[in-house]
Amino acid sequence: RATLTSDRGWVRELALSRAFVKDADVSYLEVTSPLDLKDTRFLLFDRAEGRDEQFMYIPQVKRAMQIAEETRKQPFLGSDFYVSDMVRPELDAFGYRFVGEEKVGERSAKLVEAVPKDPERELYSKTISAIDPMDLLVLRVQFFDTKGAPLKVWTLEKVEKVDGVWTPLVQHMQALQDKHESRLTLSEVKYNADLPTNIFNRSYLTR
């Protein structure tokens, strides 16, 4: 269970499920409140090889649709997270270099710059990730727009081990240019849950 909040005053309650199915990490998200967004559903296929896919069910029209490239660059449920921020980037699509070290909270981090090999396909001109090399945690990501100006900053505000797994309990996204911020907070986490496999099929979106 998760809660997505904004400094603009709104709240979205979400139910999330994730599993490895065939060749992909698959995430299923369903909005449980507020009423005007209830039953909006997302199915995200995050593949190690091959094209990632994202689908969305819109209850107002009772239709599931594949999310187009441009839609991935839009806010997720009106927040400062984009749809593309909800899946891992394709690692081979970027060039990397170390650009320094920094203290992030109580942790020492290595700074890694990632620049897309095909800038036309990507939303950001580059990102700089602060990574804790001890626990292999991404602590912060700075996003830069297509002109190279700072656009957003994602920060891991709270992380704890749940069943032995480092789990991001509170994620904060600050939009520097729009001067807004959003938080994604996990309120209930369960690993190795017994999930029905049919929830990770596109047909489940329109049930």
Side-chain angles (χ1 to χ4, degrees):
R1 299 286 175 178
T3 304
L4 184 62
T5 59
S6 168
D7 61 351
R8 283 148 283 181
W10 51 252
V11 177
R12 286 90 164 89
E13 299 288 343
L14 304 169
L16 301 89
S17 301
R18 188 170 186 177
F20 188 79
V21 181
K22 295 182 180 179
D23 62 341
D25 280 319
V26 188
S27 299
Y28 169 77
L29 296 80
E30 182 170 333
V31 181
T32 56
S33 73
L35 190 60
D36 62 332
L37 292 173
K38 188 177 184 297
D39 294 330
T40 302
R41 302 164 191 152
F42 296 86
L43 188 61
L44 312 175
F45 290 86
D46 189 0
R47 296 185 173 92
E49 296 183 5
R51 185 178 178 83
D52 295 337
E53 293 181 296
Q54 296 93 34
F55 299 91
M56 177 182 181
Y57 173 76
I58 305 172
Q60 290 84 352
V61 297
K62 298 182 179 180
R63 180 185 172 192
M65 56 183 288
Q66 186 166 3
I67 298 176
E69 194 71 34
E70 287 305 309
T71 307
R72 298 175 194 177
K73 301 176 183 180
Q74 295 178 1
F76 176 71
L77 296 174
S79 73
D80 300 295
F81 295 87
Y82 295 158
V83 175
S84 60
D85 298 333
M86 309 304 289
V87 294
R88 291 176 299 182
E90 184 182 346
L91 294 179
D92 291 341
F94 299 85
Y96 303 91
R97 68 186 182 109
F98 286 105
V99 292
E101 299 182 4
E102 190 175 325
K103 197 88 168 179
V104 179
E106 298 299 317
R107 295 173 178 266
S108 298
K110 302 283 187 180
L111 303 181
V112 179
E113 180 186 78
V115 177
K117 297 176 182 177
D118 184 2
E120 297 298 323
R121 290 191 58 219
E122 300 298 330
L123 176 59
Y124 311 112
S125 63
K126 69 175 181 179
T127 62
I128 298 178
S129 299
I131 302 172
D132 177 357
M134 297 296 294
D135 293 319
L136 299 179
L137 289 171
V138 180
L139 306 174
R140 187 190 66 210
V141 181
Q142 298 165 278
F143 301 88
F144 296 79
D145 66 16
T146 54
K147 296 180 179 179
L151 179 65
K152 302 191 302 183
V153 179
W154 173 91
T155 306
L156 183 58
E157 286 194 340
K158 183 178 180 180
V159 59
E160 293 181 359
K161 276 193 173 181
V162 178
D163 295 338
V165 179
W166 284 113
T167 304
L169 297 181
V170 182
Q171 304 176 45
H172 175 245
M173 185 71 83
Q174 182 181 14
L176 302 175
Q177 297 178 11
D178 295 335
K179 301 188 185 305
H180 291 308
E181 57 184 299
S182 304
R183 280 181 173 81
L184 181 63
T185 302
L186 298 185
S187 55
E188 180 184 338
V189 180
K190 183 178 181 181
Y191 288 102
N192 298 316
D194 187 14
L195 298 172
T197 57
N198 67 322
I199 71 173
F200 301 107
N201 293 323
R202 183 179 175 182
S203 59
Y204 189 78
L205 293 174
T206 56
R207 69 188 187 281

